[in-house]
Amino acid sequence: MDLLKLPAYGPIIPVIVVEQLEHAVPLAQALVAGGVRVLEVTLRSAVALQAIEAMARAVPEAVVGAGTLRTVADARAAKDAGAVFAVSPGFTPELSAACRAAELALLPGVSTASEVMQANDHGHHFLKLFPATAVGGIAMLKGLSGPFPDVSFCPTGGITPETAPQFLALPNVKVCGGSWLCPKELLARGDWAGITRLAQEASQLRAA
């Protein structure tokens, strides 16, 4: 898929950690009901790949991707599970090549100008700035806009509902990643209505 189409689905991509497989489908349904269709399921749990498969099969309205890809094996497994895009915390040529071979669109993570250049050399011009607030946040993105006018970013890491509009106001920011849409306490008690409310609020966020 074309990664640049992802922002058309809404301003926030939820960063999701599924610890219990039975949460996967109702969580995806709750997010989609709230207007959030792009779902990044991170490979940070034992059931992550199964969760991706379950979401992709049971909730066809969702655009399900895999996050926290680090290796060639991760890329292959994510594709096999049904992910249509991938997100990585950093960039390596090997991971880029593996995703390309698997026809899995990759949003690679960067945190320095040198990493932006390396990603560009391998054909990536829509990048994840991670961990966004820790590496300079808005000031960093403004700084990168000068030498990289052709590069767009999805800042992730430390973004909140309060700060997201400030990031979205930057010309080189297309969408933000946020973990606040799927808090552990709501997942633990199966509060899917609460997740839907958070998704509705996130889908209405606009540039400051």
Side-chain angles (χ1 to χ4, degrees):
M1 75 171 299
D2 181 359
L3 283 176
L4 288 175
K5 292 182 179 179
L6 293 183
Y9 291 102
I12 306 297
I13 298 176
V15 180
I16 302 167
V17 179
V18 178
E19 299 284 359
Q20 298 180 50
L21 185 55
E22 60 268 26
H23 289 166
V25 171
L27 172 59
Q29 292 171 332
L31 289 166
V32 169
V36 173
R37 292 180 55 195
V38 179
L39 314 180
E40 177 193 339
V41 182
T42 62
L43 302 186
R44 300 182 192 177
S45 75
V47 300
L49 291 168
Q50 292 170 279
I52 291 169
E53 185 174 7
M55 289 176 170
R57 184 178 61 250
V59 192
E61 317 95 285
V63 180
V64 184
T68 322
L69 270 71
R70 296 169 52 192
T71 66
V72 169
D74 286 343
R76 294 170 179 161
K79 178 67 174 183
D80 289 344
V84 296
F85 71 95
V87 185
S88 59
F91 176 83
T92 68
E94 293 79 11
L95 181 59
S96 175
C99 286
R100 188 168 288 113
E103 297 184 342
L104 187 63
L106 175 65
L107 179 65
V110 298
S111 60
T112 68
S114 294
E115 292 169 358
V116 173
M117 291 168 64
Q118 187 177 30
N120 290 171
D121 283 345
H122 289 268
H124 302 281
H125 288 81
F126 181 27
L127 310 173
K128 166 183 169 179
L129 182 70
F130 179 82
T133 57
V135 299
I138 289 172
M140 178 67 163
L141 287 160
K142 287 181 177 178
L144 290 172
S145 66
F148 303 109
D150 57 335
V151 178
S152 299
F153 293 92
C154 170
T156 304
I159 312 294
T160 68
E162 292 73 31
T163 61
Q166 300 166 35
F167 282 90
L168 292 167
L170 299 176
N172 58 346
V173 170
K174 297 295 185 184
V175 64
C176 291
S179 59
W180 76 85
L181 280 78
C182 307
K184 288 183 178 180
E185 58 271 19
L186 295 190
L187 290 174
R189 62 175 183 260
D191 186 354
W192 310 123
I195 298 281
T196 294
R197 284 193 297 273
L198 291 175
Q200 289 171 333
E201 292 168 3
S203 67
Q204 296 302 314
L205 288 173
R206 294 290 180 268

